[in-house]
Structure formats: structure tokens, C-alpha cells
Amino acid sequence: MPVVGPGHSVTGAPGEQRQPQVPQQLSAESFPAVHEADDTWPAPAKLESWRTGRPGRVLPGRRVLIVDDDIRNVFALTHVLGRVGMPVLYAENGREGIETLERDPDVGLVLMDIMMPEMDGYETISAIRGTPRWADLPIVALTAKAMPGDREKSIARGANDYVPKPVDVDQLLTVVCDLLDPGAADPEESCMSPASTAGPGPGTSGGEEVPPTLTE
């Protein structure tokens, strides 16, 4: 599942201005060396349970915008989201995030890093909520340096939910699924994967191995 960066198209027009050092398309498969060198990277089989049941109906095809200045976090999140069928766009700061939303009205959910230069996550969430057409756009705040009150501050600025880093993959996907399908026909049908309900296994967090790049 490709990741398209801000200001980049798949084909690219002649003379189009491009950001240096950023490829047009990125995906988890573009970095096999990372997978081979680090056995904590989530394997496809580990995410397979998220492709069935309610998550299997809700998640595939829903476009996610990741706003994060650390490209390693973008790669790691893309690996997880791509495996469950969610296409990803990314922006490196809040300003670019807003520009991306302007260009791509099909974005269904935003994962917003809080600690960013130029325009941080709090400012960006406030700006998004100040635009009427994005008033109901689901936003999940993410931050590596979780401090007391971060969740409350994120919610006060307009985020729908908050997930601290290091990211628990099951927690993140549960939050995303619930936000994208808030009015489920069967309230008893959980968005939680069957694997997560069995409890964490050795070397896992919440039943899923977490990429080390999600911890920074």
C-alpha cells in the first residue's frame, strides 16, 4: 500500500517542484533490510486478524493522513495500516498537513503527532477544527513524550482520541476502527482483533509486536 508524500503525485508532471530526498511512493516493502534486521517489526501474519470481522469491513480503503516530522514513524505506521488495507498520505508538519487536507478531500482520519517544528499538533488540530468542513474529521493525537494531562489537552484542542508512544498496535487499530464506525449496527461486535483479546504474548505489546520506530 503506497504512501504519497505532500506535494507528490504518482506520475509527476514535467517541471513539477519536488521536495528533495523524499521518494514519490513509499511502502513497508521498500525497506526489506529493516524487516530482516529487526525481528520486532510486525509481520503480516500478526495483523491478519485485523482483516476479518468488523475491522475487515471498516478499515480497508479508508484513507489516513499521518502528520509526523519523523519519516521512520511514517514508515512504521504505514507498515501497519497498509497491511490492513488502508492507503496513507503523509505530511511533515502541521502546515503541510492542512495543505494535504485541502488537496485530498477523501482523507477519512488523521494521525497527528504532537511534537513537531513550525506548527505543532495542538495548533494543527485547532486549525482543522476551525474549518467547518473538517469539523467531524476523526483525529487521533500521538506523542512520544507522554506527560500527565496530554490526553486531556489533545481532546480539548479537538482530537477525538489519544494514543501514546510507544504505540500499542491493537490499541491504535481499535481506536481507528471505532472512530471510523461509531454507529455500528451491532454494538456487541468488537473492533478488537481476536489476537488482542487473548492477551499479549512474549515480546509483544497488547498482542502485537511494536516497531521500535514508533517509540521515538
Side-chain angles (χ1 to χ4, degrees):
M1 189 64 61
V3 181
V4 181
H8 292 265
S9 63
V10 175
T11 56
E16 181 182 11
Q17 185 176 4
R18 300 177 184 275
Q19 295 185 3
Q21 307 301 320
V22 181
Q24 292 180 9
Q25 295 188 62
L26 308 174
S27 68
E29 291 75 11
S30 300
F31 303 91
V34 176
H35 297 268
E36 293 166 2
D38 192 343
D39 59 7
T40 64
W41 192 274
K46 294 288 187 180
L47 296 167
E48 196 61 33
S49 58
W50 284 98
R51 302 177 66 116
T52 61
R54 183 180 169 203
R57 295 192 301 272
V58 173
L59 301 179
R62 305 298 289 272
R63 190 178 300 274
V64 178
L65 170 61
I66 300 172
V67 185
D68 197 319
D69 61 320
D70 189 336
I71 197 66
R72 296 169 299 176
N73 291 335
V74 175
F75 292 159
L77 287 167
T78 297
H79 175 87
V80 171
L81 298 173
R83 294 299 186 189
V84 297
M86 304 186 78
V88 175
L89 300 173
Y90 84 93
E92 296 178 358
N93 56 56
R95 176 183 56 78
E96 290 182 356
I98 291 173
E99 292 172 355
T100 302
L101 287 176
E102 293 277 4
R103 291 193 304 269
D104 293 276
D106 292 336
V107 170
L109 180 136
V110 178
L111 297 181
M112 181 72 67
D113 184 38
I114 295 300
M115 305 299 291
M116 295 183 293
E118 186 172 344
M119 187 176 186
D120 69 20
Y122 293 128
E123 294 177 276
T124 308
I125 293 170
S126 295
I128 290 172
R129 290 299 182 231
T131 305
R133 67 180 178 277
W134 298 327
D136 298 322
L137 179 65
I139 301 174
V140 180
L142 307 173
T143 187
K145 298 179 179 178
M147 302 290 290
D150 276 356
R151 185 181 189 281
E152 291 74 16
K153 185 174 180 180
S154 299
I155 300 300
R157 291 296 185 102
N160 298 88
D161 214 324
Y162 170 89
V163 176
K165 299 177 185 177
V167 169
D168 180 309
V169 172
D170 286 319
Q171 179 189 7
L172 176 65
L173 291 178
T174 298
V175 166
V176 168
C177 182
D178 285 337
L179 287 175
L180 292 176
D181 188 32
D186 183 0
E188 297 299 319
E189 187 180 15
S190 175
C191 252
M192 217 171 212
S193 77
S196 66
T197 60
T204 65
S205 175
E208 176 59 88
E209 295 174 357
V210 180
T213 49
L214 291 180
T215 67
E216 300 183 8

